[in-house]
Each structure stands twice: as C-alpha cells, then as structure tokens.
Amino acid sequence: MRAIRILIAIISLTSINCSMSQDKEYLRQREQMVAEQIIERGIKDKNVISAMLKVERHKFVPDEYKHAAYGDHPLPIGYEQTISQPYVVAFMTEALQLKPTDKVLEIGTGSGYQAAILAEICDSVFTIEIIPELAESSEKVLKNLGYKNVWVKCDDGYKGWPEKAPFDAIIVTCSPTKIPQPLKEQLKEGGKMIIPIGSAAYGQELYIIKKENGKLIEKAVLPVRFVPMVNFEKKVY
Ligand code: SAH
C-alpha cells in the first residue's frame, strides 16, 4: 500500500514537472513570437505587446496544432474556420487605439483568442459568433482562463449587439463585401472600427473607419485574407 502511494506521488510529481517545463517552453515560444513577429514588424502599443505576451495562445487552438500555436500563420480551429495570424491580431488591436475604459464589440469570436487580447486591454468585450459549437467552446476557454469582462453570444454578427451599443470600438474578424449598416450605427461618435472588406475572389482590404461628426471616414490599410461573413444560411454578406 505504502509503495503504491509513493509510486503515485512520484508519477504526479513527474507530471507536474512535465507540465511546468511545457509551460516554460510555450512561454519561450510566446516571447519569440512577440519579439520577431510583433515588435520587429513595428507594433508599438505597450498594452498590445503585454497582452500578446500574457495570453496563452496555445490554449485557444485544438490539441493537434498546439505545437504550431506561436507560428507566423493562421491555424484551423475546426468548422472550416481559423484563428488569425498573431501579427494580424496585434495590427488590428493596435489600430483601434484602445483605452482601459473602452467597451468593444467583436464580430467573429472563433477561438476566443482575439477576445482575450481585447479583454486584457479594455473594460468590456462583447463578442458574437455564428457557429454554435465555436461560441460554446470559446466561452468555455475564456471562462476557464478567468475572464470576467467578456460576453459571448451565438448570433449573426451582421446585426451587431444593439442592447449594448454604442461601442467605443468595433473589430470584425470575418469579411463582408460592405460595412453592415447596424455596425455603422452602433459605433460611438469618435469611435473606431477595423474591418476586412471584400471577397475571396476579388481580394480583401483591411479598413480603419472613424466616426467623426456622425460621418464615417474610411482608410484602407492592409491587404488581408479572412473567412467570409455569412448569415445562418451560409450566404455571404
Ligand atoms: N477572432 C477569431 C478568428 C475568427 S475567424 C479568433 O481570435 O480566433 C472568423 C469567425 O467569424 C469564424 O469563427 C466564423 O464562424 C465567424 N463568422 C462568420 N460570419 C459571422 C457572422 N455573420 N456573425 C458572427 N460570426 C461570424
């Protein structure tokens, strides 16, 4: 009996040790990702940099891709969807010039990784995902990581979240062919939106949109490739 207890103690100590060294390895990869893919490419916002250093990206990807979680590319998250490339997450977040008091709307929760980055920087994050399984799994991951300032809803993000509007910032991580009217209306005066516009066939461009005196000022900033924004019938907007 005593021998069995000792054996169990040794096994559990070994597995704690293993997961500690695994965590250390992920931290090393995360630091390398931030140095080479984020800072070297010109991201300067300190809040964005510390969020990218802190959020454990490997916890947002399926087991079979954990080894590649910190690579310079998007990754599959199931249901034909992807978690965005780390640089694109950082670029879009920085472009919004977020403040700690901001209330943000995200369309396209996916894995929940972008929502976690926003939650590190802002006051509150409202995020909408159209695929029920992804809404459920991302909500679970975010809850397990202790985020209390993120609200996930399964719905068609085209409509935005009128009950919680207006938003200081809106980030759209799937691509419609034009800016949804409800999102324009739900952006606060002086607020910023970042959104990919276009189609897989003709190409997409990331736009930064600012609302000034009720008018939207649009600027194309980066060619990108996002999954399309679709309705519940999978028809592209
Ligand atoms: N921000 C995500 C990546 C999102 S991929 C992350 O950090 O992992 C784009 C997501 O947008 C997909 O999960 C897709 O299902 C979702 N999507 C597509 N059309 C949508 C719509 N109309 N409303 C809400 N989500 C939508």
Side-chain angles (χ1 to χ4, degrees):
M1 198 57 198
R2 188 153 174 260
I4 292 175
R5 270 207 208 110
I6 292 173
L7 192 63
I8 291 172
I10 291 172
I11 292 171
S12 57
L13 268 180
T14 322
S15 73
I16 288 172
N17 247 334
C18 258
S19 75
M20 268 170 64
S21 64
Q22 181 71 272
D23 282 351
K24 255 192 178 166
E25 172 52 21
Y26 282 133
L27 175 62
R28 189 196 64 75
Q29 290 182 19
R30 201 153 57 246
E31 286 172 348
Q32 187 174 358
M33 170 193 89
V34 170
E36 293 174 3
Q37 300 171 40
I38 307 301
I39 297 174
E40 244 175 62
R41 291 193 192 145
I43 302 294
K44 292 195 172 58
D45 186 324
K46 286 199 178 58
N47 294 336
V48 176
I49 293 170
S50 37
M52 301 284 297
L53 267 176
K54 183 172 170 197
V55 178
E56 298 176 299
R57 186 170 158 93
H58 62 277
K59 300 218 166 133
F60 294 84
V61 304
D63 283 349
E64 64 263 43
Y65 294 113
K66 287 205 190 302
H67 67 279
Y70 296 96
D72 191 11
H73 42 67
L75 280 173
I77 52 170
Y79 311 92
E80 296 171 25
Q81 307 305 322
T82 53
I83 175 174
S84 308
Q85 178 190 7
Y87 175 69
V88 172
V89 172
F91 182 90
M92 291 176 81
T93 313
E94 182 175 68
L96 293 172
Q97 298 179 311
L98 297 167
K99 293 188 292 301
T101 48
D102 281 351
K103 175 166 70 163
V104 184
L105 173 69
E106 180 193 26
I107 310 299
T109 320
S111 68
Y113 177 70
Q114 173 76 71
I117 296 289
L118 295 167
E120 291 290 342
I121 302 172
C122 307
D123 175 70
S124 45
V125 181
F126 294 86
T127 179
I128 308 177
E129 169 57 52
I130 201 162
I131 298 178
E133 292 85 349
L134 286 176
E136 203 176 301
S137 57
S138 58
E139 188 172 29
K140 207 184 272 174
V141 175
L142 289 161
K143 190 171 167 233
N144 286 343
L145 289 173
Y147 289 103
K148 293 197 166 55
N149 58 341
V150 185
W151 287 267
V152 183
K153 170 162 97 159
C154 181
D155 206 344
D156 183 350
Y158 186 92
K159 300 179 286 183
W161 199 322
E163 303 82 2
K164 302 290 174 190
F167 298 97
D168 298 289
I170 300 180
I171 177 166
V172 183
T173 65
C174 45
S175 182
T177 49
K178 56 183 199 301
I179 310 171
Q181 184 60 31
L183 300 188
K184 292 183 185 176
E185 288 160 12
Q186 290 172 31
L187 188 63
K188 209 180 255 183
E189 177 62 33
K192 284 210 174 83
M193 173 169 7
I194 185 137
I195 180 169
I197 303 283
S199 64
Y202 297 105
Q204 302 165 356
E205 196 83 40
L206 207 50
Y207 280 80
I208 296 179
I209 290 146
K210 194 162 185 213
K211 198 182 232 184
E212 267 174 20
N213 304 320
K215 281 208 184 102
L216 295 179
I217 301 157
E218 304 176 8
K219 192 171 139 204
V221 282
L222 190 73
V224 282
R225 255 183 103 147
F226 278 85
V227 297
M229 179 186 265
V230 293
N231 63 16
F232 276 112
E233 282 72 50
K234 300 226 162 106
K235 215 172 145 261
V236 179
Y237 276 115

